[in-house]
Amino acid sequence: MSIPDRLKIKPVDENVVARMLELLPDIEEELEAGGDAEALLQQWYQHANHRYTTDAFLNYWKSTSEEDFVLTALNPEPTVDQELQFLEACAVIDAFKTGELSEHETDYYLNWLEIQFPESNISDLIFWPDEWFGDASLFRDPGGAFRPESELTSEQMVGYAMARCGRSLPGTPDNLVLPHPLPPTG
């Protein structure tokens, strides 16, 4: 199940991406030299929706590409979707599980999910369910490897996120089974 069209990030003007890719090495160079990069940063932030620390400009290359750094900066700020349906939230989680998201999309949709389900810590639920539940034995064998049969479905993950934050989505199945008790917050 792919991300529904209405939830997809709108494409960014290629000219804007190209201009920001041109600005990036200039900003880095100016910051590394200890200069004043304010004029360059003003140009950058004419387009960017995400504010980076100075340190991020100097160290992004350790964890991401120039293009993903720029595209992440251009991602819109996620907001609460009052029209969100249960199956739409499941589709977003499915996109993580199938690996269909690029790096900047992963960043956006993780933030988006956290906005939809505040205080649920849904990123841990998706990627580290043993940590989220506080009980590795639910998901790992005695040697520490994840047991595939214990993997939660996207529907269960959305169910747990809703239970944790108190939000109910239209279209939630009446017979949704959550196999483990909701862990205490803490």
Side-chain angles (χ1 to χ4, degrees):
M1 179 181 337
S2 290
I3 291 178
D5 287 341
R6 74 174 201 85
L7 299 179
K8 288 184 179 174
I9 302 170
K10 305 292 181 253
V12 180
D13 183 332
E14 290 180 23
N15 294 323
V16 171
V17 173
R19 177 62 184 133
M20 290 183 74
L21 284 168
E22 290 172 5
L23 281 170
L24 187 54
D26 295 340
I27 293 169
E28 288 176 81
E29 197 173 294
E30 191 66 33
L31 291 172
E32 286 174 353
D36 181 13
E38 190 60 36
L40 293 169
L41 289 169
Q42 283 181 346
Q43 291 178 54
W44 175 274
Y45 286 120
Q46 285 178 345
H47 305 289
N49 293 312
H50 178 80
R51 296 199 73 80
Y52 289 127
T53 63
T54 302
D55 194 47
F57 282 100
L58 295 172
N59 294 305
Y60 73 88
W61 55 270
K62 294 177 181 177
S63 62
T64 191
S65 68
E66 289 180 348
E67 184 174 5
D68 275 316
F69 186 76
V70 167
L71 291 172
T72 298
L74 293 170
N75 281 342
E77 285 297 319
T79 59
V80 174
D81 183 344
Q82 299 296 343
E83 307 296 315
L84 183 62
Q85 299 287 310
F86 178 80
L87 288 178
E88 290 175 323
C90 293
V92 172
I93 292 176
D94 283 339
F96 285 102
K97 294 171 84 175
T98 60
E100 71 183 67
L101 299 176
S102 67
E103 189 174 327
H104 82 93
E105 291 170 325
T106 296
D107 180 77
Y108 172 78
Y109 286 109
L110 277 177
N111 289 330
W112 182 86
L113 284 167
E114 293 291 350
I115 296 293
Q116 304 315 308
F117 305 107
E119 307 299 321
S120 71
N121 202 9
I122 195 167
S123 61
D124 280 358
L125 181 59
I126 295 168
F127 297 110
W128 302 284
D130 55 331
E131 298 277 330
W132 195 86
F133 281 93
D135 185 353
S137 70
L138 297 173
F139 300 94
R140 295 178 183 265
D141 64 26
F146 273 99
R147 294 189 323 259
E149 71 277 6
S150 67
E151 184 175 332
L152 296 172
T153 65
S154 297
E155 292 80 5
Q156 290 168 333
M157 289 182 195
V158 172
Y160 280 115
M162 290 188 311
R164 174 62 60 85
C165 75
R167 181 177 185 187
S168 180
L169 296 179
T172 301
D174 293 334
N175 61 349
L176 180 62
V177 175
L178 302 179
H180 311 295
L182 190 66
T185 58

